[in-house]
Amino acid sequence: MPALSKLYNSFRAQIGTEGLAGETELDVKCISCTRRERVCKWEDVSKGSHIIMKGENFMLNVGGKQMSPYTHHAIVKEVVHIDINSSSASVKLIHFFSTPYDMTLRVQETTELLDLHYHQVYILRYRHQTHSPERIVERAESILVTNATVKYYLFSCNCEHFCNWCSVGQEESFQVETLESLVRSMSMEVGSLLGKLLRILLQFAVVSVEDLSAVAARTVCAVPWGVLSVFALIYLLLTAWKHHKLDEKQKRGIICSACCLRRKQELWMTFFTYCVFQVGGLGLISFLIAIAASKGIVIAALIGCSILSISLMNLVPKIRKYLGSPFEGRLVRVTSLNKVWVGDVISIDHWKMSHDAIVSSVNIIRGTRKKKGSIRVIHYALPSIFGQRRIVEEEIDIDLTRHFIKGHDYSGYNVHPPEIVVERARKRIGETKFGLMSNRSCHFCHWAKVDEKLKDDDDATDAARPLRSELLYVRSIKPGETLSSLRSIHVNHKQNRKPTTKLMEKTWVRIRDDLKPGMVISFKFRTRWHKAICTAVLDSPDSLSKLIIGVVHYGKNCIVSEESFEFDLNTQDIWIYRYHPIYRFDYQTIIRRARARMGNQDYNMLLHRSSHLVEEIALKETDRLITDIDEVQLGDVILMMYWGLTHAAVVTWVRRAESKPNTIGRIKIIHYALDSLFSTRYIKEETIPVDLQKDMIWLKNYSGYSTYPPTVVVKRARNRIDEKRFNFVGNTSWDFVHWAKVIQTPGIMVKPSQNDDSVEEEFVIVPVSGECYDGFQRHRACAWMDLREGTIVEYSYYWIWHQGILTRKDETSKTISVIHYGASHIFASRTIIEDTWNVDLKHDNIWIYDTDPRKCNRASVIVDNARMRLGEQRWCSGNRSWDFCKDCVLKKTSKET
């Protein structure tokens, strides 16, 4: 194992040599034989699952794809569904994680509220699972008990190491290996870059010194090649050492032979890529210098070669994947024809090259010890050296004494029954769409053999995306309240969370069964790729490969119409776009919505092509467009156009106009208003007229968030009326409605029963909504209801941020009392005193600090603790205002007592 992937701490020291209690021999399997399966609904996730999510730090959404530089791994202990559409769930996880109040990473059991709209979750499927789900959870829990103090190390003990050890008994992190490879390639490139720079500098030095002999000049110019040779030798030794380590892993059973071979190929391909580009780059620079190219051209070539070399070295695994076979299992030599069965995939010699084929029948000649016979195979055949490749079924003579045949071991794969494999292969006989990178005979055989069908065909519903969580808010939690019997659920309530990727897969149609009415497809239409909604699929009587497809698209004269086209799958390509079920309607609804758009003439080359049309039809809207005034309810957040920009507001009152259609009425809203272009923005409650036939208004979606009840939302919004603290950075209309709607502090929530009005379970919701600092979350005090006695408040004191304990608030007189380390002037001695100040939250900035209710004292105890220290003058390092506040708020542990 590479040095960086060993766990040099108490965790690995115990489990690496002895295993767990009761385990005499740890059964370790290949950790590389895995595949990721995206979660479409929470029913797919079960106890013991190893799940992967995009890391929340540095997360982006680029082109509709959720992207993050790293992934987070966890072991699932329990899943509790939250909403009826299975998009949200309360998931109990064991993983390396931090809590909302403590950023320290350690192995712990937490319950997270996960929503598939914001959490792109994958299940890691091991082809050779070592432990049962119950045993996986037991192994994870044992670390909680016996190694609770294990420390997190990015390179040697991270969440991926932990989860892989729990699942298959071998700790390894492929993210760390990828980072190692990147650092290694960049280090080698830096060394080579120095050699090339030396070549440029020495050349200019030789030119500038006229009396330097020709022999000395040649010697000096050869120095860069020597530098390059040294670094190439170092890289060669490093590659050989990695090769040796892989052999050791294979002998110990940590990695299978197929994965070992694949990794060796990647190692040596990377090394040869490095050598080729370094020699070529230095040769190019020498040539440019020889022809007296300008310094700019030489430097540009130097930079270009370096970037290209690093890029290709790190793309080697992907290049090898495209050039190699999709099959990643073992190849076993066939020694007897009775070991070849119908539906097997074998490798035979075809035009002096190894070639994959599917066995459809086997005929053994008697008296040959089962060494001779004939096998009927289906494969991509090449009739002549200049002929066209075509899928055919043909019979070949076999003599195992002369022919070298290998069988494919598909253990660990989810494969079709043999008769289905042959049936699927025969449906593609006659196909001529051979592709060197993506549709060779190995790809054809793997497709026919392995069942890789996505579980999304029947999972979508025609129900609209829920606008809020099924959990109901009851009340906020008082500091120090006893909550030992309730389960805590952590939920990310920060604004601007990045949505998950909607498109799951883009694949091309191979046989008729792949295509269903309601799917989004793409095909060549007037020489260009064109998207459409498939509305009907009919078999052609002429051939098995031909079919007639009905589509709704922008057709003739750029009008939405339904047309029929005939395709031959043996020669023509049709692509299918599979979207995540939570984002799309079910297929029947998609067809109904597509036909309802027939006759539409809104075509625009840039803004509304067929690609835009099919997404509008097939995908659910994130925020729902209002078509009826009765859809708007008290406490809803609406989005509308205001001064030419999208604007958010809280609804406090709705009235439909009498004797008028349901699209006309009045709505009273609270928002950051702007009376004139150059006036000051302030929060205002006003009534606006609405005509939904002219005005476009959306209902803001809060799926994945826990929200306040409508009456509380309105009350919170009205508390901030006349506020004038608008800021484009952190206090816009969007921030205001988020604060009013989404729960900001810990609270009690219930999950109502689906059958009656009873309550299934009570939860403690712990939101991540502020900045975490030293065991606390920091929030801005936006209204008087945010200020509570016993809370730590932060304010400007002698032009610096200062903390104190809030002991009293008076909204009527707009005053607060605070106990803190104060002084009569900036140079006076600090003394704990109680001050009273005038505060206007509509203008002044005050911050509050909240902590885990289970770890803090009751409000009255906090105030008493602060008053007991009035007059104290021990202000020093380690006992400043922040230390004083923490000492008053947090409960004493037995050790501290």
Side-chain angles (χ1 to χ4, degrees), residues 40 155 190 219 236 284-285 289 363 381 387 441 468 498 504 541 611 615 633 674 710 730 736 751 780 800 841 850 862:
C40 294
F155 295 106
V190 167
T219 303
L236 175 62
L284 176 62
I285 291 172
I289 292 175
N363 182 28
S441 200
R468 57 188 65 85
K498 308 304 179 186
M504 295 180 63
S611 57
E615 289 185 0
Q633 303 294 327
L674 183 65
F736 162 65
K751 181 185 177 185
R780 186 196 300 270
I800 62 172
L841 291 180
D850 291 318
I862 295 172

mmCIF file of all heavy atoms in Angstrom, residues 40 155 190 219 236 284-285 289 363 381 387 441 468 498 504 541 611 615 633 674 710 730 736 751 780 800 841 850 862:
data_model
loop_
_atom_site.group_PDB
_atom_site.id
_atom_site.type_symbol
_atom_site.label_atom_id
_atom_site.label_comp_id
_atom_site.label_asym_id
_atom_site.label_seq_id
_atom_site.Cartn_x
_atom_site.Cartn_y
_atom_site.Cartn_z
ATOM 1 N N CYS A 40 -32.033 7.158 -7.143
ATOM 2 C CA CYS A 40 -33.227 7.777 -7.729
ATOM 3 C C CYS A 40 -34.324 7.983 -6.692
ATOM 4 O O CYS A 40 -35.135 8.892 -6.825
ATOM 5 C CB CYS A 40 -33.751 6.918 -8.878
ATOM 6 S SG CYS A 40 -32.641 6.831 -10.299
ATOM 7 N N PHE A 155 -4.722 12.782 4.023
ATOM 8 C CA PHE A 155 -4.006 11.849 3.156
ATOM 9 C C PHE A 155 -3.966 10.426 3.687
ATOM 10 O O PHE A 155 -3.622 9.514 2.947
ATOM 11 C CB PHE A 155 -2.575 12.347 2.927
ATOM 12 C CG PHE A 155 -2.492 13.631 2.166
ATOM 13 C CD1 PHE A 155 -2.169 14.813 2.802
ATOM 14 C CD2 PHE A 155 -2.771 13.668 0.813
ATOM 15 C CE1 PHE A 155 -2.109 15.996 2.111
ATOM 16 C CE2 PHE A 155 -2.721 14.842 0.099
ATOM 17 C CZ PHE A 155 -2.387 16.030 0.750
ATOM 18 N N VAL A 190 7.743 20.084 -13.371
ATOM 19 C CA VAL A 190 8.528 21.228 -12.895
ATOM 20 C C VAL A 190 10.022 20.969 -13.113
ATOM 21 O O VAL A 190 10.772 21.857 -13.555
ATOM 22 C CB VAL A 190 8.231 21.504 -11.409
ATOM 23 C CG1 VAL A 190 9.259 22.469 -10.825
ATOM 24 C CG2 VAL A 190 6.835 22.079 -11.249
ATOM 25 N N THR A 219 28.835 21.132 -25.408
ATOM 26 C CA THR A 219 28.761 20.546 -24.062
ATOM 27 C C THR A 219 27.730 21.269 -23.215
ATOM 28 O O THR A 219 26.919 20.639 -22.508
ATOM 29 C CB THR A 219 30.143 20.605 -23.385
ATOM 30 O OG1 THR A 219 31.089 19.929 -24.195
ATOM 31 C CG2 THR A 219 30.080 19.974 -22.001
ATOM 32 N N LEU A 236 11.180 6.786 -13.684
ATOM 33 C CA LEU A 236 11.209 5.361 -14.012
ATOM 34 C C LEU A 236 11.309 4.514 -12.738
ATOM 35 O O LEU A 236 10.600 3.507 -12.590
ATOM 36 C CB LEU A 236 12.390 5.065 -14.935
ATOM 37 C CG LEU A 236 12.636 3.592 -15.274
ATOM 38 C CD1 LEU A 236 11.436 3.014 -16.027
ATOM 39 C CD2 LEU A 236 13.909 3.437 -16.096
ATOM 40 N N LEU A 284 11.458 20.518 -29.579
ATOM 41 C CA LEU A 284 10.780 21.652 -30.221
ATOM 42 C C LEU A 284 11.439 22.967 -29.833
ATOM 43 O O LEU A 284 11.642 23.844 -30.682
ATOM 44 C CB LEU A 284 9.304 21.650 -29.820
ATOM 45 C CG LEU A 284 8.455 22.829 -30.318
ATOM 46 C CD1 LEU A 284 8.413 22.851 -31.845
ATOM 47 C CD2 LEU A 284 7.048 22.765 -29.736
ATOM 48 N N ILE A 285 11.780 23.117 -28.567
ATOM 49 C CA ILE A 285 12.414 24.365 -28.115
ATOM 50 C C ILE A 285 13.792 24.517 -28.758
ATOM 51 O O ILE A 285 14.175 25.612 -29.187
ATOM 52 C CB ILE A 285 12.496 24.373 -26.579
ATOM 53 C CG1 ILE A 285 11.090 24.515 -25.989
ATOM 54 C CG2 ILE A 285 13.391 25.493 -26.078
ATOM 55 C CD1 ILE A 285 11.008 24.358 -24.509
ATOM 56 N N ILE A 289 14.882 27.617 -31.179
ATOM 57 C CA ILE A 289 16.083 28.430 -30.929
ATOM 58 C C ILE A 289 17.012 28.386 -32.128
ATOM 59 O O ILE A 289 17.617 29.392 -32.520
ATOM 60 C CB ILE A 289 16.788 27.931 -29.659
ATOM 61 C CG1 ILE A 289 15.922 28.221 -28.428
ATOM 62 C CG2 ILE A 289 18.147 28.597 -29.500
ATOM 63 C CD1 ILE A 289 16.473 27.658 -27.140
ATOM 64 N N ASN A 363 -20.900 -27.087 -30.066
ATOM 65 C CA ASN A 363 -20.948 -28.442 -30.608
ATOM 66 C C ASN A 363 -19.583 -29.093 -30.389
ATOM 67 O O ASN A 363 -18.574 -28.621 -30.904
ATOM 68 C CB ASN A 363 -21.299 -28.420 -32.101
ATOM 69 C CG ASN A 363 -21.400 -29.814 -32.685
ATOM 70 O OD1 ASN A 363 -21.728 -30.766 -31.963
ATOM 71 N ND2 ASN A 363 -21.114 -29.937 -33.964
ATOM 72 N N ALA A 381 -17.963 -8.699 -36.899
ATOM 73 C CA ALA A 381 -17.031 -9.386 -37.797
ATOM 74 C C ALA A 381 -16.505 -8.438 -38.859
ATOM 75 O O ALA A 381 -17.157 -7.460 -39.244
ATOM 76 C CB ALA A 381 -17.726 -10.571 -38.468
ATOM 77 N N GLY A 387 -13.132 -4.375 -45.709
ATOM 78 C CA GLY A 387 -14.582 -4.488 -45.657
ATOM 79 C C GLY A 387 -15.173 -3.680 -44.508
ATOM 80 O O GLY A 387 -14.475 -3.033 -43.719
ATOM 81 N N SER A 441 -16.516 -4.725 -30.592
ATOM 82 C CA SER A 441 -17.144 -6.001 -30.253
ATOM 83 C C SER A 441 -17.190 -6.199 -28.736
ATOM 84 O O SER A 441 -18.137 -6.782 -28.202
ATOM 85 C CB SER A 441 -16.369 -7.154 -30.905
ATOM 86 O OG SER A 441 -17.178 -8.304 -30.995
ATOM 87 N N ARG A 468 -42.592 22.417 0.126
ATOM 88 C CA ARG A 468 -42.039 22.476 1.477
ATOM 89 C C ARG A 468 -41.874 21.060 2.011
ATOM 90 O O ARG A 468 -42.415 20.105 1.454
ATOM 91 C CB ARG A 468 -42.939 23.291 2.406
ATOM 92 C CG ARG A 468 -44.358 22.771 2.475
ATOM 93 C CD ARG A 468 -45.243 23.722 3.246
ATOM 94 N NE ARG A 468 -45.367 24.973 2.550
ATOM 95 C CZ ARG A 468 -46.263 25.184 1.590
ATOM 96 N NH1 ARG A 468 -47.058 24.209 1.183
ATOM 97 N NH2 ARG A 468 -46.339 26.350 1.003
ATOM 98 N N LYS A 498 -26.647 24.481 -4.067
ATOM 99 C CA LYS A 498 -26.534 24.138 -5.485
ATOM 100 C C LYS A 498 -27.372 22.898 -5.803
ATOM 101 O O LYS A 498 -27.206 21.852 -5.165
ATOM 102 C CB LYS A 498 -25.077 23.868 -5.861
ATOM 103 C CG LYS A 498 -24.127 24.989 -5.454
ATOM 104 C CD LYS A 498 -24.528 26.325 -6.026
ATOM 105 C CE LYS A 498 -23.563 27.412 -5.574
ATOM 106 N NZ LYS A 498 -24.010 28.750 -5.999
ATOM 107 N N MET A 504 -29.104 12.245 -15.976
ATOM 108 C CA MET A 504 -28.392 11.101 -15.422
ATOM 109 C C MET A 504 -27.520 10.410 -16.458
ATOM 110 O O MET A 504 -26.409 9.975 -16.156
ATOM 111 C CB MET A 504 -29.392 10.085 -14.852
ATOM 112 C CG MET A 504 -30.189 10.593 -13.667
ATOM 113 S SD MET A 504 -31.332 9.347 -13.056
ATOM 114 C CE MET A 504 -30.235 8.047 -12.534
ATOM 115 N N PRO A 541 -42.772 -3.610 -40.217
ATOM 116 C CA PRO A 541 -42.933 -4.993 -40.699
ATOM 117 C C PRO A 541 -41.793 -5.453 -41.599
ATOM 118 O O PRO A 541 -41.639 -6.638 -41.852
ATOM 119 C CB PRO A 541 -44.248 -4.933 -41.471
ATOM 120 C CG PRO A 541 -44.368 -3.497 -41.911
ATOM 121 C CD PRO A 541 -43.731 -2.683 -40.834
ATOM 122 N N SER A 611 -34.403 22.043 -28.179
ATOM 123 C CA SER A 611 -33.813 21.631 -26.903
ATOM 124 C C SER A 611 -34.498 22.334 -25.736
ATOM 125 O O SER A 611 -34.718 21.736 -24.678
ATOM 126 C CB SER A 611 -32.314 21.917 -26.900
ATOM 127 O OG SER A 611 -32.062 23.287 -27.158
ATOM 128 N N GLU A 615 -37.249 20.400 -22.783
ATOM 129 C CA GLU A 615 -36.992 20.555 -21.352
ATOM 130 C C GLU A 615 -38.178 21.206 -20.649
ATOM 131 O O GLU A 615 -38.505 20.858 -19.509
ATOM 132 C CB GLU A 615 -35.713 21.367 -21.132
ATOM 133 C CG GLU A 615 -34.450 20.598 -21.511
ATOM 134 C CD GLU A 615 -33.185 21.360 -21.185
ATOM 135 O OE1 GLU A 615 -33.310 22.498 -20.666
ATOM 136 O OE2 GLU A 615 -32.092 20.842 -21.439
ATOM 137 N N GLN A 633 -50.959 31.402 -1.034
ATOM 138 C CA GLN A 633 -51.448 31.287 0.336
ATOM 139 C C GLN A 633 -50.659 32.206 1.260
ATOM 140 O O GLN A 633 -49.577 32.695 0.921
ATOM 141 C CB GLN A 633 -51.328 29.834 0.818
ATOM 142 C CG GLN A 633 -52.043 28.806 -0.045
ATOM 143 C CD GLN A 633 -53.544 28.957 -0.020
ATOM 144 O OE1 GLN A 633 -54.125 29.351 1.001
ATOM 145 N NE2 GLN A 633 -54.198 28.675 -1.150
ATOM 146 N N LEU A 674 -38.510 49.907 -3.200
ATOM 147 C CA LEU A 674 -37.738 51.022 -3.751
ATOM 148 C C LEU A 674 -38.732 51.985 -4.384
ATOM 149 O O LEU A 674 -39.290 51.709 -5.447
ATOM 150 C CB LEU A 674 -36.729 50.517 -4.782
ATOM 151 C CG LEU A 674 -35.795 51.548 -5.403
ATOM 152 C CD1 LEU A 674 -34.868 52.142 -4.344
ATOM 153 C CD2 LEU A 674 -34.959 50.921 -6.516
ATOM 154 N N PRO A 710 -47.052 29.327 8.303
ATOM 155 C CA PRO A 710 -47.378 30.591 7.615
ATOM 156 C C PRO A 710 -47.539 31.782 8.556
ATOM 157 O O PRO A 710 -47.059 32.880 8.266
ATOM 158 C CB PRO A 710 -48.678 30.266 6.888
ATOM 159 C CG PRO A 710 -48.630 28.790 6.668
ATOM 160 C CD PRO A 710 -47.923 28.228 7.846
ATOM 161 N N GLY A 730 -25.138 40.960 1.544
ATOM 162 C CA GLY A 730 -25.699 39.993 2.478
ATOM 163 C C GLY A 730 -27.058 40.325 3.035
ATOM 164 O O GLY A 730 -27.514 39.663 3.971
ATOM 165 N N PHE A 736 -33.819 38.496 3.030
ATOM 166 C CA PHE A 736 -34.927 38.811 3.930
ATOM 167 C C PHE A 736 -35.972 37.690 3.940
ATOM 168 O O PHE A 736 -36.393 37.215 5.002
ATOM 169 C CB PHE A 736 -35.564 40.143 3.513
ATOM 170 C CG PHE A 736 -36.930 40.366 4.054
ATOM 171 C CD1 PHE A 736 -37.151 40.506 5.423
ATOM 172 C CD2 PHE A 736 -38.032 40.419 3.200
ATOM 173 C CE1 PHE A 736 -38.425 40.701 5.925
ATOM 174 C CE2 PHE A 736 -39.298 40.611 3.695
ATOM 175 C CZ PHE A 736 -39.502 40.749 5.064
ATOM 176 N N LYS A 751 -43.383 14.814 12.507
ATOM 177 C CA LYS A 751 -43.770 14.203 11.240
ATOM 178 C C LYS A 751 -45.165 13.634 11.412
ATOM 179 O O LYS A 751 -45.361 12.648 12.133
ATOM 180 C CB LYS A 751 -42.790 13.086 10.854
ATOM 181 C CG LYS A 751 -43.136 12.417 9.526
ATOM 182 C CD LYS A 751 -42.211 11.244 9.244
ATOM 183 C CE LYS A 751 -42.621 10.557 7.942
ATOM 184 N NZ LYS A 751 -41.824 9.352 7.681
ATOM 185 N N ARG A 780 -26.800 37.154 12.207
ATOM 186 C CA ARG A 780 -27.152 38.566 12.358
ATOM 187 C C ARG A 780 -28.503 38.686 13.073
ATOM 188 O O ARG A 780 -29.447 37.956 12.735
ATOM 189 C CB ARG A 780 -27.237 39.243 10.993
ATOM 190 C CG ARG A 780 -27.451 40.764 11.062
ATOM 191 C CD ARG A 780 -27.903 41.288 9.705
ATOM 192 N NE ARG A 780 -26.923 41.010 8.678
ATOM 193 C CZ ARG A 780 -25.923 41.831 8.360
ATOM 194 N NH1 ARG A 780 -25.778 42.972 9.023
ATOM 195 N NH2 ARG A 780 -25.081 41.518 7.402
ATOM 196 N N ILE A 800 -14.188 48.121 17.810
ATOM 197 C CA ILE A 800 -13.840 46.717 17.580
ATOM 198 C C ILE A 800 -15.055 45.855 17.930
ATOM 199 O O ILE A 800 -15.938 46.271 18.692
ATOM 200 C CB ILE A 800 -12.614 46.270 18.416
ATOM 201 C CG1 ILE A 800 -12.922 46.381 19.907
ATOM 202 C CG2 ILE A 800 -11.374 47.053 18.036
ATOM 203 C CD1 ILE A 800 -11.846 45.784 20.781
ATOM 204 N N LEU A 841 -32.468 48.131 15.549
ATOM 205 C CA LEU A 841 -32.105 47.018 14.655
ATOM 206 C C LEU A 841 -32.395 47.313 13.191
ATOM 207 O O LEU A 841 -31.970 46.552 12.322
ATOM 208 C CB LEU A 841 -32.853 45.748 15.089
ATOM 209 C CG LEU A 841 -32.421 45.145 16.429
ATOM 210 C CD1 LEU A 841 -33.235 43.905 16.731
ATOM 211 C CD2 LEU A 841 -30.943 44.820 16.440
ATOM 212 N N ASP A 850 -25.408 31.273 18.862
ATOM 213 C CA ASP A 850 -26.195 30.164 19.397
ATOM 214 C C ASP A 850 -25.327 28.917 19.466
ATOM 215 O O ASP A 850 -24.431 28.727 18.629
ATOM 216 C CB ASP A 850 -27.414 29.869 18.511
ATOM 217 C CG ASP A 850 -28.442 30.986 18.574
ATOM 218 O OD1 ASP A 850 -28.680 31.484 19.681
ATOM 219 O OD2 ASP A 850 -28.982 31.362 17.525
ATOM 220 N N ILE A 862 -27.571 31.351 32.943
ATOM 221 C CA ILE A 862 -26.543 32.111 32.223
ATOM 222 C C ILE A 862 -26.450 33.527 32.775
ATOM 223 O O ILE A 862 -25.353 34.046 33.047
ATOM 224 C CB ILE A 862 -26.849 32.126 30.713
ATOM 225 C CG1 ILE A 862 -26.763 30.716 30.125
ATOM 226 C CG2 ILE A 862 -25.904 33.068 29.973
ATOM 227 C CD1 ILE A 862 -27.241 30.618 28.698
#
